Amino acid sequence: MHIALILASGIAWTIVYIEAIRIGFRERTYAMPAVALGLNFAWEWTYAVHNLAFDPSVQGGINLVWGIADAVIVYTFFRYGRAEFPSFVTPRMFAGLSVLLFGMSFAVQWLFLAKFGAEDGAGYSAFLQNLLMSGLFIAMFVARRGLRGQSVTIAVAKWLGTLAPTILFGALEDDGGFLLGLGIMCSVLDLVYVGLCVQAKRNGGVGDVPEPLAVTNRADSASMEA
């Protein structure tokens, strides 16, 4: 069960990254919120290197695959991301802020590693940033007013990718309820995001819900005024 859940999470998140890469190049944007991307990229490379150097494991290999895939998403961010920001953010400002973001993301991971050790540090930081990521994906959907740079596949795979370790580390392994509580909150937000993406896909990729009744009401009002 332990290995099966780790592999399930690995496969689901790999699907997220592959789909994010595909959509990023197709739509000339980045398909993961910037802060989430920075934290993810830093987490994967921090623990891939640590695990492979000091504690070789299946998870270490998965982290390496994720880190390589995430590097391509980072490339799409630097290549296309400037267009997503207001015009006052100059290319030089965008580059400087991006370097600061990724640098601080690595600093956060190393602080968790130093404070809690590899096992607890990886778990605590992963669940906390996944909760942040779940909220940021909803915010990105709202900011982009629909599915641009996103997909139902990413939404569902992201939910399943976090659900598997929630079951493993939060439910099957007793941690006092901390990781389980974070995992449940992740699932709530992930399912909200899935619902938004499904609804937008039915609307042709747009987040706004059509309002046919409003048109009818305006027509009725015009008739009454006539």
Side-chain angles (χ1 to χ4, degrees):
M1 178 65 75
H2 186 278
I3 294 297
L5 288 171
I6 288 177
L7 289 175
S9 178
I11 292 169
W13 274 105
T14 301
I15 291 172
V16 171
Y17 295 148
I18 291 173
E19 179 72 352
I21 291 168
R22 185 186 71 83
I23 290 177
F25 282 110
R26 186 189 70 187
E27 301 186 12
R28 301 178 68 82
T29 186
Y30 56 95
M32 184 177 293
V35 174
L37 177 59
L39 290 171
N40 253 27
F41 184 68
W43 187 95
E44 287 152 6
W45 279 105
T46 295
Y47 291 103
V49 171
H50 186 278
N51 289 350
L52 294 175
F54 301 107
D55 184 23
S57 63
V58 172
Q59 185 63 59
I62 291 173
N63 292 345
L64 181 60
V65 172
W66 287 347
I68 293 170
D70 236 357
V72 183
I73 302 175
V74 170
Y75 171 77
T76 64
F77 173 76
F78 278 96
R79 182 172 180 181
Y80 305 122
R82 166 64 187 81
E84 299 291 344
F85 288 79
S87 58
F88 70 82
V89 179
T90 64
R92 180 175 294 183
M93 187 186 301
F94 170 74
L97 291 173
S98 299
V99 170
L100 179 63
L101 168 63
F102 283 94
M104 292 184 70
S105 296
F106 274 95
V108 167
Q109 303 304 339
W110 295 343
L111 286 171
F112 268 93
L113 181 60
K115 175 65 176 179
F116 299 106
E119 184 175 352
D120 287 342
Y124 294 158
S125 58
F127 275 83
L128 285 168
Q129 70 192 46
N130 266 306
L131 180 59
L132 174 63
M133 184 188 306
S134 296
L136 289 174
F137 264 97
I138 294 174
M140 185 168 74
F141 178 93
V142 173
R144 294 181 175 180
R145 300 181 66 84
L147 280 178
R148 186 170 61 81
Q150 303 156 87
S151 74
V152 174
T153 299
I154 289 177
V156 173
K158 185 169 72 69
W159 168 52
L160 296 176
T162 305
L163 180 62
T166 297
I167 295 171
L168 175 58
F169 299 113
L172 299 182
E173 297 183 5
D174 183 18
D175 73 319
F178 180 67
L179 296 184
L180 179 60
L182 291 176
I184 290 172
M185 287 188 284
C186 285
S187 278
V188 170
L189 292 178
D190 285 344
L191 288 172
V192 169
Y193 182 60
V194 169
L196 290 171
C197 290
V198 169
Q199 183 183 35
K201 187 174 182 180
R202 291 172 179 169
N203 295 337
V206 180
D208 296 333
V209 179
E211 299 180 353
L213 291 179
V215 175
T216 302
N217 291 338
R218 285 195 295 269
D220 290 345
S221 298
S223 298
M224 291 176 66
E225 290 173 1

